[in-house]
Each structure stands twice: as C-alpha cells, then as structure tokens.
C-alpha cells in the first residue's frame, strides 16, 4: 500500500510541472500500515478530487466554443480564447484541464496496477471506479486535443497513453508520444468495458457505477458513429446497445417537467435522472468559487458572481420556437421547460415599475455588419403601438424616431417594424433588461443554485436525458427513424408537452436531433463537440464580441486545442503539438 501512494504522486508529476507538494490525498506511512483499506479509500477519494479542478476548464473549453452563450466583451482571461477561437499553446485553463486529467489517470492507473483484482467484491468495485475514471478521462482529453473521429482516426493524433508510473521513472524515463485518435478511443473503451465487469449496478451518481460506464460508452460510440451523410453503422449499433442497457436497467428515471425545471437546484443524490456527476459541496465552495466558478460567469445571484456571459440570441430563439417563454415577473410563463434556466435581469424604473420595450436585433448602425440588440421604449396611442428611438444628431442634439408596430403573432406579442426603408425587423414586446456593455443580461442559472446555494454546482457528466438523445441519433444513422423519433419525442415532449415531432426521415433527422441536443444539453459542455463530430460548421450569427460572420467548419485547425506548452516542456519524451494551421 505504501508503494501505491508513492507511485500516485510520482505519476502525477509526469504530466505536470505544477504538482502540489503535499497533495490532499497524502497519508503518512503509519496511517497506511495501520489501516490499508482506509488508505485505499483515501486514494480513491484523491482520484475523485482531481475531477473537481478538472471539471471547471472541461466545462469552459466545451461550452464557450459553442453557440449557446455570448460574453459581454473581450476578456484578458485565458478562457476568452475558447470563445474567440484564437488558439495558443500557453493557456492556464487548458493546462489545468490537461494536468488534472492526467493526475486522475495516474492515480487510477497506479491503484489498478498495485491492488489487483479478486481480493473482495468491495475492492474490485473500487478498482472498477478507477477504470471508469481513466476511460472517461482519456475520452474527454481526446475529444479536446484530438480531431473528430470521422476525420481519419487512424492517422490523427489523440493523447499519450500512460497507464501508471513506468518502472524506470527515476532512471532513464522515456514516455511515448501521442497515440492516434483511434488508439485513444480504443483505450477508453477497454477501460470502460472493464469497469462494467467490476462495478455493481448502483444508483449513486457521485461514484462510478455500471450504469455510468455504460452511459459513457453510449456517448463514445456515438462520437465514433460518423456523420449523418457517412455513418458508421457498426458503431451506431454499439451506441444503441449501451444506451438501451442504461434505459432498460430501470435504475434511472426522467424527471417530470416540473422537477426538471428545478434540475439545477437538486442535490445529485436526490436526482433520479443523474447518472454521474462531479460532486461539489458548499463547505469547499468558497466565495472565490462563487465569482470565478462556472456559474459565477453566467449570473450574479444574491450579489455573488460576475454575470458577464449570457444566453445567446440563437439559443433564446430556439427556446421560443414553439411559443414565447415569458420571463416577465407579472406574466411569467414557461413554454419550453429548458427556458426555466434563463433569467433576464428586468430593471425597474424611477417609478418602481417596468419599462415596456420593443426588443429586436439589427446591425449596429456604426458602419459594420455587427449585430446588436435594440430595446426601444413603447408608447400606445389610439389603439396602436409605437416604438420610439432617440437618435443623436451630428450637432449633438437628439431627435426621436417613431415606428409603428405591425402584429406578427399577437399571442406571443411579436411584432415587426420597418426599421429602414424596405427593411423590416421582427421582435417582441418585453420589459427593459439591464444592459452590460450594450447587451441585455439573459442570465443562465443551469450551473447555479444547487441546494439554493448561489453558484454551487456539481457538473453533470451523464444523465438519462442525454442517453435517450444518444440512442435517437444512433438509430437515425441506422435508418431506424420510427425508433429514433420515439426517443427524440420522449425528451422533447417532457419539455414542451404536446409538441412532439410528427415524423423523422433522412432529410429532417440531422436538423431536428441536433436542435434537441442543443436545447437539452446546453451548458453541459457538449455543444461544440456535437457540432464538429457530425461534420457541421459552427455558426454564431448573433450579437456579441465574437466574429459574428465567421463560420468555423469542422475541418478547421482551431476545432481542437493545442497541447499545453508546459506539458511539452516537462514531458519525458516527444509530445507532438497540434498543427498551427490547416
């Protein structure tokens, strides 16, 4: 048992030049000798503790590179590279993602190598947890640093496979270069299959279970299943197989609509839909975390958090597609349950009420094509509705332009105006939302309020809602559209009762399944990978400081991240960097 601790610490050092001198999983020799089982428990807990620091950059590099959110302006924080696609090898958050991921791999590997199976069911289950964490970590690292699977996986590079501390760690250590994407996925699958063999079924979402391993395999095989145009039917069948195992196990249940709208507030252990999450607790979630953690960037709650990133106009439009979600305090109505995780910051005026506005999107009017939000104050006269815009003239005086609103959908309060000669713009009546650098604050709370504690959040790795969507996509790639439609509508009608899709075929499946994945899995770090793994281009044609008119194709070199330069510098061997251009 003494060797396990030594190897765990040494192996962690192989991939990081910033290793803790006294890691939290450290135990004295006397403690190890006196209670070996407690020592193993401590090492397992240490492995899981790596996931807490790892999950923060994991979320940011997966979600910020997508189209569900926007930021109020440019930032000096290294996460802005994820949003702007200005890739560099010197990025502290990517270094943390890499280092903590490989520390978890190292700790898992050394426990596996030193303990051995067959001592007891309890110890085998703990080893199974190590296989799960290692397999999951290889997959997550590979999808960030390796190209989408459909793009020549036998040639493109994944990540190094180092399963434990080499015997020559203190002499002539030489580590292997990056394996291919195919080899890395193969390693992840092998580990997860072994985890299934050793793990009990169980339903505790804060520890690896058989269902967690099966859920991860359903996603991995989905990533390997090719594009809709050129599917890999072998892997699509495997995705269906593992998704079905999870669904048919009966261990997990979709929350009903009302409970799902409070998903973010539930403790993981009380959530029947959660399969595996990275557990956080309030006692270790400091005031710093409430500001600098994931949720703190999406909202300010109770005075905590920066609240600098908001739901994108694209995502809001998807939420409103089947009917307007009304967030106004005096007429609150949620059509799509996923809209419950969005909270606009309505501002009260000097009289203590709300100011009615007509909000729409147009070019900024400053000589560029950049899109911008407009909130024009509304006036009602003689049974008609008008929007008024105050415009500063060259002589610094101000004039008021008035636009009459034409009904588009009276129930949803959507209208149009002729904003410029021959140019109509459609928008909706709403209350004035507080601006932050010209952008209305559509706060995101899906990563906040766990246990009603401001921004406490246990990042979701797998939940049953995703598994149904995994199976729907895989079935569609197999041409089983009736089965795919049933799974797709199971998720859609949970959020929008009575609005299931009538049919699904080869023409409509890619768009409809992608749309439901975007709606359902938003702010869970899946979106950018979902876009690129299916060969689609990322389109962010909505307000924000990003390059709004630049589409990022799945073949772009910026789809993957650079290996951290610090990892290359400290690596005992060659660690090949990703290409710097196409």
């Amino acid at each position: 048992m003494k060797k396990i601790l030594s190897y765990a610490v040494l192996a962690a050092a192989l991939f990081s030049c910033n290793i803790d001198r006294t890691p939290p999983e450290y135990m004295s020799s006397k403690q190890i000798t006196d209670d070996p089982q407690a020592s193993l428990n401590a090492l397992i807990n240490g492995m899981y503790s790596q996931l807490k620091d790892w999950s923060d950059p994991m979320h940011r590099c997966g979600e910020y590179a997508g189209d569900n959110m926007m930021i109020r302006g440019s930032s000096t924080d290294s996460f802005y590279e994820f949003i702007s696609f200005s890739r560099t090898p010197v990025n502290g958050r990517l270094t943390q993602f890499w280092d903590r991921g490989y520390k978890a791999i190292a700790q898992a590997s050394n426990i596996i190598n030193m303990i051995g199976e067959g001592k007891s069911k309890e110890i085998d289950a703990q080893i199974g947890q190590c296989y799960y964490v290692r397999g999951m970590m290889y997959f997550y690292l590979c999808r960030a640093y390796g190209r989408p699977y459909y793009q020549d996986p036998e040639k493109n590079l994944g990540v190094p496979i180092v399963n434990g501390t080499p015997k020559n760690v203190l002499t002539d250590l030489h580590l292997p270069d990056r394996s291919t994407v195919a080899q890395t996925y193969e390693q992840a699958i092998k580990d997860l299959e072994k985890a299934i063999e050793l793990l009990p079924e169980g339903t505790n979402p804060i520890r690896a279970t058989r269902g967690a391993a099966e859920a991860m395999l359903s996603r991995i095989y989905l990533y390997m299943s090719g594009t809709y145009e050129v599917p890999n039917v072998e892997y699509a069948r495997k995705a269906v197989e593992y998704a079905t195992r999870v669904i048919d196990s009966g261990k997990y249940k979709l929350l009903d609509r009302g409970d799902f709208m409070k998903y973010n507030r539930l403790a993981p252990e009380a959530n029947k839909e959660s399969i595996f999450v990275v557990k956080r607790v309030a006692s270790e979630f400091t005031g710093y975390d409430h500001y600098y953690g994931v949720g703190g960037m999406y909202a300010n709650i109770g005075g905590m958090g920066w609240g600098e990133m908001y739901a994108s106009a694209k995502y809001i439009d998807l939420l409103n597609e089947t009917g307007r979600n009304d967030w106004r305090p005096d007429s609150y109505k949620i059509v799509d349950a996923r809209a419950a995780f969005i909270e606009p910051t309505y501002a009260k005026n000097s009289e203590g009420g709300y100011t009615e506005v007509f909000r729409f999107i147009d070019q900024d009017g400053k000589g560029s094509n950049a899109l911008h939000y407009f909130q024009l104050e509304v006036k009602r006269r003689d049974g008609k509705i008008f929007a008024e815009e105050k415009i500063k003239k060259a002589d610094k005086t101000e004039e008021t332009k008035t636009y009459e609103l034409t009904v588009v959908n009276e129930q949803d309060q959507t209208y149009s105006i002729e904003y410029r000669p021959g140019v109509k713009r459609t928008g909706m009546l709403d209350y004035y939302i507080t601006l932050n650098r010209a952008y209305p604050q559509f706060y995101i709370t899906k990563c906040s309020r766990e246990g009603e504690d401001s921004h406490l959040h246990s990042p979701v790795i797998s939940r049953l809602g995703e598994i149904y969507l995994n199976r729907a996509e895989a079935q569609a790639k197999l041409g089983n559209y009736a089965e795919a439609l049933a799974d797709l509508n199971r998720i859609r009608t949970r959020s929008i009762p009575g609005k299931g899709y009538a049919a699904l075929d080869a023409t409509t499946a890619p768009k409809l399944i992608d749309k439901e994945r975007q709606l359902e899995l938003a702010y869970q770090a899946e979106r950018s990978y979902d876009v690129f793994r299916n060969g689609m281009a990322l389109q962010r044609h909505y307000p924000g400081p990003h390059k709004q008119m630049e589409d990022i194709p799945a073949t772009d070199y910026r789809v993957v991240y650079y290996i951290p330069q610090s990892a290359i510098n400290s690596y005992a061997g060659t660690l090949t960097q990703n290409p710097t251009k196409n």
Side-chain angles (χ1 to χ4, degrees):
M1 189 64 70
K2 294 179 183 178
K3 293 181 180 179
I4 301 172
L5 181 62
S6 306
Y7 285 160
V9 175
L10 280 170
L14 299 178
F15 292 94
S16 172
C17 56
N18 296 313
I19 177 175
D20 300 330
R21 292 192 180 276
T22 307
E25 61 273 14
Y26 173 81
M27 296 186 71
S28 69
S29 297
K30 186 176 186 305
Q31 287 174 301
I32 296 170
T33 302
D34 290 348
D35 195 342
Q37 183 59 59
S39 302
L40 177 57
N41 292 341
L43 291 173
I44 294 286
N45 289 338
M47 175 188 70
Y48 279 112
S49 74
Q50 301 297 340
L51 303 187
K52 296 175 184 179
D53 288 339
W54 163 84
S55 64
D56 183 283
M58 178 276 292
H59 176 97
R60 298 178 198 269
C61 66
E63 194 63 50
Y64 294 1
D67 52 5
N68 295 324
M69 50 75 68
M70 57 151 288
I71 189 171
R72 66 171 188 167
S74 60
S75 174
T76 57
D77 192 298
S78 56
F79 65 53
Y80 191 67
E81 291 183 6
F82 309 156
I83 301 169
S84 65
F85 279 80
S86 54
R87 303 292 186 241
T88 69
V90 183
N91 184 300
R93 293 187 182 275
L94 283 178
T95 299
Q96 180 184 358
F97 178 60
W98 177 278
D99 287 352
R100 293 296 179 178
Y102 269 106
K103 285 181 180 181
I105 288 172
Q107 290 175 353
S109 296
N110 285 304
I111 294 170
I112 291 168
N113 294 340
M114 293 301 299
I115 295 295
E117 301 168 37
K119 294 179 174 62
S120 72
K121 288 184 178 180
E122 292 74 17
I123 289 178
D124 280 357
Q126 289 177 302
I127 295 173
Q129 292 178 59
C130 295
Y131 277 111
Y132 169 82
V133 168
R134 191 171 76 180
M136 177 188 74
M137 207 56 58
Y138 275 127
F139 168 65
Y140 269 84
L141 288 167
C142 189
R143 75 173 186 174
Y145 297 107
R147 297 208 64 82
Y149 196 88
Y150 81 93
Q151 297 175 10
D152 202 353
E154 302 289 348
K155 178 180 178 182
N156 290 326
L157 295 180
V159 296
I161 296 174
V162 182
N163 293 335
T165 308
K167 295 179 180 179
N168 58 345
V169 66
L170 298 178
T171 55
D172 57 343
L173 177 64
H174 185 82
L175 297 175
D177 198 355
R178 297 165 64 186
S179 297
T180 65
V181 168
Q183 290 168 336
T184 311
Y185 272 65
E186 182 181 355
Q187 176 66 51
I189 290 169
K190 181 180 177 182
D191 282 342
L192 291 165
E193 288 177 339
K194 186 64 176 179
I196 291 170
E197 179 185 325
L198 297 175
L199 285 167
E201 288 191 340
T203 56
N204 182 1
I206 68 173
R207 284 291 187 264
T209 60
R210 188 182 305 169
E214 291 168 342
M216 190 56 59
L217 281 170
S218 80
R219 189 194 303 173
I220 289 176
Y221 278 117
L222 188 69
Y223 272 58
M224 298 170 70
S225 68
T227 65
Y228 284 96
E229 292 77 15
V230 187
N232 184 310
V233 295
E234 176 188 353
Y235 295 140
R237 289 194 185 98
K238 296 293 285 186
V240 169
E241 175 191 337
Y242 281 105
T244 300
R245 287 193 195 183
V246 176
I247 293 167
D248 288 354
S249 73
K251 298 293 182 182
Y252 314 98
K253 296 184 183 299
L254 290 178
L255 298 178
D256 62 30
R257 186 176 190 270
D259 286 339
F260 176 67
M261 291 165 70
K262 298 179 288 186
Y263 190 100
N264 57 319
R265 300 171 186 259
L266 300 175
E269 300 91 331
N271 193 325
K272 295 180 180 179
E273 188 166 332
S274 292
I275 299 173
F276 184 73
V277 303
V278 178
K279 173 69 173 179
R280 302 301 302 268
V281 296
S283 62
E284 65 183 18
F285 205 74
T286 67
Y288 179 93
D289 293 308
H290 285 278
Y291 273 89
Y292 292 93
V294 169
M297 295 307 300
Y298 288 144
N300 179 297
I301 299 174
M304 302 290 281
W306 297 113
E308 296 180 359
M309 296 179 181
Y310 316 123
S312 69
K314 180 177 184 177
Y315 189 69
I316 292 169
D317 284 346
L318 285 179
L319 290 173
N320 288 330
E321 192 176 65
T322 56
R324 189 239 182 105
N325 295 282
D326 195 342
W327 291 292
R328 290 174 293 186
D330 52 6
S331 54
Y332 189 80
K333 179 184 177 183
I334 297 298
V335 174
D336 188 323
R338 278 95 45 131
F341 307 120
I342 309 299
E343 297 182 11
T345 57
Y346 291 113
K348 289 191 175 182
N349 54 37
S350 58
E351 298 176 354
Y354 296 102
T355 301
E356 189 176 30
V357 299
F358 176 65
R359 185 172 49 257
F360 64 100
I361 292 172
D362 192 45
Q363 294 174 356
D364 62 12
K366 299 177 182 178
S368 75
N369 292 324
L371 297 174
H372 184 75
Y373 279 104
F374 290 83
Q375 297 188 103
L376 307 185
E377 190 168 346
V378 165
K379 303 292 182 182
R380 297 173 183 267
R381 299 189 295 268
D382 302 324
K384 296 181 179 180
I385 306 176
F386 301 89
E388 295 184 348
E389 182 179 24
K390 299 186 184 302
I391 300 174
K392 289 185 178 180
K393 299 168 64 176
D395 61 2
K396 297 185 178 181
T397 60
E398 194 174 74
E399 69 173 351
T400 299
K401 292 189 67 174
T402 301
Y403 310 91
E404 183 176 350
L405 273 61
T406 302
V407 174
V408 175
N409 185 319
E410 190 168 11
Q411 180 178 347
D412 286 347
Q413 294 190 310
T414 57
Y415 295 81
S416 68
I417 61 173
E418 187 171 6
Y419 191 52
R420 295 187 297 277
V423 176
K424 289 187 176 181
R425 291 291 176 254
T426 299
M428 68 172 55
L429 294 182
D430 205 347
Y431 293 152
Y432 181 82
I433 298 174
T434 307
L435 298 179
N436 195 330
R437 295 189 186 176
Y439 301 112
Q441 297 180 144
F442 286 93
Y443 280 171
I444 301 159
T445 61
K446 198 173 186 181
C447 301
S448 302
R449 291 208 175 105
E450 185 177 313
E452 307 301 332
D453 186 357
S454 186
H455 294 298
L456 180 62
H457 172 61
S458 295
V460 177
I461 300 299
S462 297
R463 63 179 173 89
L464 190 58
E466 179 211 342
I467 308 307
Y468 275 103
L469 292 172
N470 290 352
R471 192 168 71 174
E473 181 178 328
Q475 291 282 28
K477 287 177 176 176
L478 292 171
N480 301 330
Y481 295 111
E483 292 86 347
L485 180 63
D487 282 339
L488 189 64
N489 278 339
R490 184 77 180 268
I491 298 305
R492 180 172 175 80
T493 57
R494 190 256 297 266
S495 286
I496 321 174
K499 294 294 183 180
Y501 298 114
L504 201 69
D505 58 30
T507 302
T508 60
K511 179 180 178 180
L512 297 184
I513 293 173
D514 179 68
K515 178 170 67 176
E516 288 307 310
R517 287 189 71 91
Q518 180 169 10
L519 283 165
E520 183 72 14
L521 304 180
Y523 317 116
Q524 289 182 213
E526 299 297 321
R527 178 58 185 164
S528 62
Y529 302 115
D530 273 350
V531 171
F532 297 133
R533 69 177 174 80
N534 269 317
M536 298 182 292
L538 181 71
Q539 298 180 325
R540 299 187 291 180
H541 304 171
Y542 51 80
H546 56 273
K547 295 180 180 179
Q548 298 173 9
M549 301 305 151
E550 178 191 32
D551 293 349
I552 310 293
T555 53
D556 195 290
Y557 77 96
R558 294 170 295 173
V559 164
V560 297
Y561 294 105
Y562 288 126
I563 305 295
Q565 190 61 45
S566 61
I568 292 176
N569 293 344
S570 62
Y571 197 70
T574 299
L575 187 55
T576 302
Q577 183 59 277
N578 279 322
T580 57
K581 60 181 180 180
N582 284 346

